[in-house]
């Protein structure tokens, strides 16, 4: 079945460091891919998404490119801030045409950014 | 826009009692709602999918008699944890999908933390 695998955390970085959180997926067909962020004590917020191969999603300085050849959707940010400390979830939707809905999540990666 | 509200955000109950959690779409009609469970420092596990006016579809391994889901209107779904036990303590999150401003949206609630004593 479909699945998402993320790099294990926690990831601890200094402010202004470069961030990469790896995400790979297994899916039939052409899933849509998402990154969600969960700040302490809060629900999930959509960070960015990509709906087809080679699409790049971007938001708030974060980027991720849908790589079908490597089945990956790695999250990157050039310079992290303390306020980026949160748990990041990679997810896929196996519904066609990006209709959203049922999502399959990776295990989450906790990011801690130190001043 | 496309806001989903969950209530209560935190609830503490005694073992053996039942607890109801509400998930409301405030400014759009949610044709489908999803209920997830999140254990500490773990991923979200889908429990069930509910469509307005029909029975929920539960994922494998989820007890439908334990976790009652009702989706009586296009803006409200409820999850009732019946005869709760300490092992039911968890963070429950709903999401809703529907049309908003001409586009299909998927929005998550802020979650409800259940503690069973």
């Amino acid at each position: 079945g479909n699945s998402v695998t993320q790099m294990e955390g926690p990831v601890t970085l200094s402010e202004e460091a470069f961030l990469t959180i790896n995400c790979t997926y297994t899916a039939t067909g052409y899933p849509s891919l998402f990154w969600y962020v969960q700040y302490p004590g809060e629900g999930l917020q959509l960070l960015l998404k990509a709906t087809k191969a080679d699409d790049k999603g971007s938001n708030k300085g974060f980027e991720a490119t849908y790589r079908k050849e490597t089945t990956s959707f790695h999250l990157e940010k050039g310079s992290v801030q303390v306020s980026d400390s949160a748990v990041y979830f990679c997810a896929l939707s196996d519904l066609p045409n990006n209709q959203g809905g049922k999502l399959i999540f990776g295990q989450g990666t906790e990011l801690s950014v130190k001043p | 826009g496309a806001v989903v509200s969950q209530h209560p955000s935190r609830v503490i109950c005694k073992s053996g009692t039942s607890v109801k959690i509400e998930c409301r779409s405030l400014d759009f009609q949610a044709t489908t709602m999803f209920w997830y469970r999140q254990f500490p420092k773990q991923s979200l596990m889908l429990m069930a999918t509910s469509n307005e006016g029909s029975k929920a579809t539960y994922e494998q391994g989820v007890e439908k008699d334990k976790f009652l889901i009702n989706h009586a209107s296009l803006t409200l779904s409820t999850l009732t944890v019946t005869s709760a036990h300490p092992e039911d303590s968890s963070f429950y999150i709903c999401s809703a999908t529907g049309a908003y401003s001409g586009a299909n949206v998927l929005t998550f609630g802020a979650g409800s933390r259940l503690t069973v004593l």
Side-chain angles (χ1 to χ4, degrees):
Chain A
N2 298 341
S3 66
V4 176
T5 302
Q6 289 178 236
M7 64 184 285
E8 285 194 23
V11 173
T12 302
L13 296 173
S14 297
E15 206 165 21
E16 299 184 1
F18 184 86
L19 169 71
T20 299
I21 301 178
N22 290 339
C23 171
T24 57
Y25 68 90
T26 302
T28 56
Y30 302 94
S32 295
L33 301 174
F34 307 83
W35 277 100
Y36 280 85
V37 58
Q38 184 179 34
Y39 296 102
E42 298 183 16
L44 273 71
Q45 301 175 29
L46 178 63
L47 182 60
L48 53 85
K49 67 180 181 183
T51 60
K52 59 183 187 295
D54 299 325
D55 265 3
K56 177 186 283 188
S58 62
N59 185 27
K60 299 180 182 179
F62 291 89
E63 292 183 340
T65 301
Y66 189 144
R67 301 285 188 200
K68 195 171 190 307
E69 64 276 15
T70 54
T71 62
S72 65
F73 192 54
H74 303 323
L75 182 68
E76 297 182 336
K77 185 174 185 181
S79 176
V80 293
Q81 306 300 313
V82 173
S83 57
D84 294 326
S85 298
V87 180
Y88 292 82
F89 291 93
C90 185
L92 71 81
S93 169
D94 56 2
L95 293 179
N97 301 320
N98 191 30
Q99 292 300 301
K102 181 177 176 179
L103 294 176
I104 297 168
F105 286 90
Q107 66 268 41
T109 302
E110 182 179 1
L111 170 65
S112 177
V113 181
K114 306 297 184 186
Chain B
V3 178
V4 171
S5 172
Q6 265 187 258
H7 178 79
S9 58
R10 294 178 184 271
V11 56
I12 300 173
C13 70
K14 293 182 179 179
S15 186
T17 61
S18 295
V19 174
K20 180 185 286 187
I21 299 169
E22 293 185 346
C23 178
R24 293 182 183 271
S25 56
L26 299 184
D27 50 4
F28 69 103
Q29 294 187 325
T31 49
T32 305
M33 289 186 170
F34 303 86
W35 287 95
Y36 293 84
R37 182 174 180 176
Q38 183 181 26
F39 291 99
K41 297 189 182 298
Q42 294 188 31
S43 185
L44 283 75
M45 301 303 295
L46 180 66
M47 299 174 66
T49 302
S50 77
N51 293 294
E52 184 265 338
S54 61
K55 289 184 178 180
T57 302
Y58 289 81
E59 295 297 303
Q60 192 173 8
V62 178
E63 300 175 60
K64 61 180 66 176
D65 294 331
K66 173 75 169 177
F67 299 99
L68 300 179
I69 292 171
N70 183 278
H71 193 164
S73 76
L74 284 171
T75 59
L76 174 64
S77 176
T78 60
L79 166 67
T80 301
V81 183
T82 62
S83 187
H85 291 285
E87 58 265 29
D88 299 324
S89 298
S90 193
F91 195 53
Y92 293 89
I93 301 175
C94 74
S95 66
T97 186
Y100 179 82
S101 294
N104 202 62
V105 296
L106 172 67
T107 304
F108 283 80
S112 300
R113 185 166 300 284
L114 170 64
T115 302
V116 184
L117 302 177

